[in-house]
Amino acid sequence: MAGVHLKRETIISAGIDIGTSTTKIIISRFSLMNTAGSTDIPRIEIVGKEILYKSPIFRTPLKDAITIDVASVEKIIRSQYEEAGVHSSDIETGAVIITGEAATKQNASEIVHHLSGEAGDFLVATAGSDLEGIIAAKGSGAYDHSVKTGKVTANVDIGGGTANIAVFKREELLGTCTLHIGGRLIEFSEGLVTSISTPVQRLIEQEGWTLTLGDSFHHLDIDKVTEFMAESIARIIANDPVLKDDVLLLGHQPNWEEKVEDIIFSGGISECMYKKESSKPSDILYCDIGVKLAEALLKNKALTKWNRIEPNETVRATVIGAGTQTTEISGATIHVASDELPLKNMPVYKFSFKDGFESGLSIFEESVKEAIDIYDSFQEGQNFVIYLADLPYMGFKDIQTLAKEIIKLMELRHDPEQPVVIVLQTDHAKVLGQTLQAMNARQSVICIDQINVEHGDYMDIGRTRQSEVVPVVVKTLTFHST
């Protein structure tokens, strides 16, 4: 295989986090290396990650309370690329993350898709509270802490609008939960309350408090709000929520079963707790309840029953996770038509062979037709990825049978000339791709393996590297509502 003897190569990654309060950018460099022995099948892995540039922390630009200022966001990104000494064409992988309450803004979907095309050659876009929590846990050090210690670790990432909790035990994600808890849910100007978010307004009404617009920054109900938030977080971590916590719940209840042992706070609120950023005065003035919320978390007695670990990163946890943790490498046993790459925003249709090879084949056509109906209902030629999961052991005849079925079914698409894109859990991609090619499939064939995705995910596949691997980013575009 060409490139097997290559010792090391690098790719540049960007992470962009557009949050409720702040926008951050990070530029990283990944080192790739063949980690297999000289007599083994080559396995190219990411063996090093180096942060090249961290941007200042910018206030997220808004046109009004419900509209993100796309032009201003682009201006920030361009200026920071220039500061970092990189061009958008240098960026080969990474993620744009719209997080927290920013993901509910009127044009969040527009900005995600716009930046995916403008901010870099292989820059992708993701949003969604569960994914945000997972990425933040990796950026804060919570994930690594759990891997190293084996302890059940909860990362609580609190920004301007949401608290995203992700619980890990070693490499396994045990569960997630998101709450309407954040620094910007009550805002002030000249010492008076100018904004109260809808969830907090419902909390005030539920508890019979009196705080309203125009009240003083020193109103006693403000402390009651932040203290309730801290108590609610403690109950959620313990997986023992009460009915009154529902008013702040965003989505599902906590879904982990094992008891949390260690907790790590990240996000803008944890910066108020730990002050890990530069000691220079921030250009972002605290005109909200962020500092009060941080104080309430530090004082809350219920939170002291867990071992509290300081994060490696506070306000930058999500952007560091986005820039360094979302990329996977597929290689050695892949088959790709390099001239078709990169591919962006390909929806994933998952098909499982869990009931056996023959049983799966019997319903494969019906499932592919369903995928066409889902992803190309307007007959515009939207292509999609077929993810073949739970494949049993397959002999060469089975591979041939599967390839024939794929060739036949790809003709059902509204634009059958589009590339055939197949993803597998197991390392059958090369033999399946070569078989499809040998059977004279008229389409270009892209088969990659050793990637885990789910039905409904989206995927970007980057250009082939010298070492014959491709960088892959899997993301979930989930825009939650208020």
Side-chain angles (χ1 to χ4, degrees), residues 177-430:
C177 189
T178 302
L179 298 161
H180 288 290
I181 292 178
R184 292 212 170 271
L185 298 187
I186 299 178
E187 295 183 286
F188 312 102
S189 178
E190 298 181 354
L192 300 178
V193 176
T194 57
S195 173
I196 301 174
S197 71
T198 301
V200 172
Q201 186 61 56
R202 289 196 291 259
L203 171 64
I204 291 169
E205 294 170 1
Q206 170 183 285
E207 298 300 304
W209 300 330
T210 61
L211 182 69
T212 190
L213 296 178
D215 283 345
S216 168
F217 169 81
H218 300 290
H219 196 289
L220 294 178
D221 284 355
I222 294 172
D223 287 333
K224 293 178 182 177
V225 168
T226 56
E227 288 166 5
F228 183 98
M229 288 178 171
E231 291 166 1
S232 185
I233 286 175
R235 288 190 290 266
I236 294 294
I237 293 173
N239 203 352
D240 189 26
V242 295
L243 184 60
K244 64 181 180 179
D245 292 323
D246 287 354
V247 72
L248 296 181
L249 195 66
L250 197 168
H252 59 77
Q253 296 278 347
N255 54 5
W256 52 90
E257 295 181 358
E258 297 196 42
K259 290 185 178 180
V260 170
E261 298 170 276
D262 292 351
I263 58 174
I264 294 180
F265 287 94
S266 64
I269 299 304
S270 77
E271 175 58 29
C272 297
M273 298 166 68
Y274 297 112
K275 297 180 174 60
K276 285 183 172 288
E277 285 289 310
S278 169
S279 59
K280 294 180 182 179
S282 170
D283 61 349
I284 299 173
L285 299 176
Y286 293 114
C287 51
D288 54 39
I289 59 171
V291 173
K292 285 182 176 289
L293 178 55
E295 291 172 351
L297 291 166
L298 288 170
K299 293 177 182 177
N300 185 271
K301 291 183 179 179
L303 289 170
T304 62
K305 66 181 179 182
W306 293 287
N307 185 31
R308 186 178 296 179
I309 309 296
E310 286 199 17
N312 295 336
E313 295 287 342
T314 53
V315 68
R316 299 178 189 271
T318 302
V319 73
I320 286 177
T324 66
Q325 298 286 353
T326 57
T327 300
E328 296 184 52
I329 295 294
S330 180
T333 58
I334 66 174
H335 178 93
V336 297
S338 297
D339 58 338
E340 297 287 357
L341 299 177
L343 293 174
K344 295 185 179 183
N345 293 323
M346 295 277 287
V348 174
Y349 186 87
K350 181 178 180 178
F351 181 82
S352 174
F353 283 87
K354 64 181 179 180
D355 294 326
F357 186 69
E358 294 297 331
S359 177
L361 279 181
S362 69
I363 58 172
F364 192 37
E365 179 174 350
E366 178 185 345
S367 296
V368 171
K369 288 179 178 177
E370 179 184 52
I372 294 170
D373 289 341
I374 291 172
Y375 298 122
D376 199 16
S377 58
F378 293 104
Q379 302 183 20
E380 296 174 336
Q382 168 66 56
N383 203 2
F384 55 90
V385 175
I386 297 178
Y387 176 45
L388 301 179
D390 306 306
L391 277 167
Y393 170 80
M394 291 190 296
F396 187 62
K397 286 187 177 180
D398 294 329
I399 294 287
Q400 288 182 313
T401 300
L402 179 59
K404 287 178 182 177
E405 194 70 8
I406 290 172
I407 289 173
K408 180 183 76 173
L409 298 180
M410 289 300 94
E411 293 297 317
L412 301 177
R413 296 176 299 172
H414 299 299
D415 183 359
E417 298 288 343
Q418 291 178 315
V420 175
V421 186
I422 307 292
V423 175
L424 305 98
Q425 286 174 316
T426 51
D427 58 356
H428 292 98
K430 194 175 191 71

Side-chain angles (χ1 to χ4, degrees), residues 141-153 168-171 261-262 264 307 309:
Y143 174 81
D144 286 342
H145 173 79
S146 184
V147 170
K148 291 175 183 176
T149 65
K151 291 186 175 181
V152 178
T153 304
F168 284 90
K169 183 177 183 181
R170 295 186 175 90
E171 294 90 351
E261 298 170 276
D262 292 351
I264 294 180
N307 185 31
I309 309 296

